[in-house]
Amino acid sequence: MTELVWTTYVPRRVYRTARRLEAACENAEGKPSPIGEAEWRMTSWPTQSGRDLWAEVWRFLMGEYCRQVDENVRVVIVDDPGFDRVISVSPRQLH
């Protein structure tokens, strides 16, 4: 097994929303990009809280799609309602 590259901590609501968005895009006839859809929603959602959610979904999806196949990345889903940001850290940053 390769060395851990980074750990991404993601709020459960962001994780669930990202996975639902991916599934909806896969089932859509035109097959839009989940990242493009999240980015569009981030700029056009009517409330600040909606834009914040979609900004975090976009960040999470970008991290998922931009990593290399051989990278060892761990995703930790955080259930704390006060935790509202996607955070990625490398093992070196923790020391």
Side-chain angles (χ1 to χ4, degrees):
M1 180 158 206
T2 60
E3 185 178 323
L4 184 65
V5 177
W6 75 75
T7 300
T8 297
Y9 297 91
V10 58
R12 183 168 297 280
R13 72 187 188 105
V14 169
Y15 182 82
R16 284 184 178 157
T17 302
R19 294 301 181 226
R20 282 197 303 265
L21 180 63
E22 282 182 320
C25 288
E26 285 175 8
N27 294 328
E29 200 167 304
K31 299 215 182 240
S33 158
I35 293 173
E37 180 69 17
E39 189 174 24
W40 178 80
R41 292 182 188 209
M42 178 174 62
T43 59
S44 61
W45 211 253
T47 65
Q48 184 62 44
S49 60
R51 284 190 289 274
D52 289 345
L53 169 66
W54 289 106
E56 294 306 310
V57 170
W58 182 85
R59 285 189 62 219
F60 175 68
L61 290 171
M62 283 297 292
E64 290 276 282
Y65 282 94
C66 291
R67 69 178 172 162
Q68 302 297 313
V69 175
D70 61 345
E71 286 182 329
N72 183 13
V73 176
R74 177 175 54 192
V75 174
V76 176
I77 300 168
V78 180
D79 282 320
D80 181 354
F83 185 79
D84 65 350
R85 292 284 178 251
V86 173
I87 299 172
S88 294
V89 294
S90 72
R92 290 186 193 136
Q93 288 174 301
L94 296 175
H95 296 292

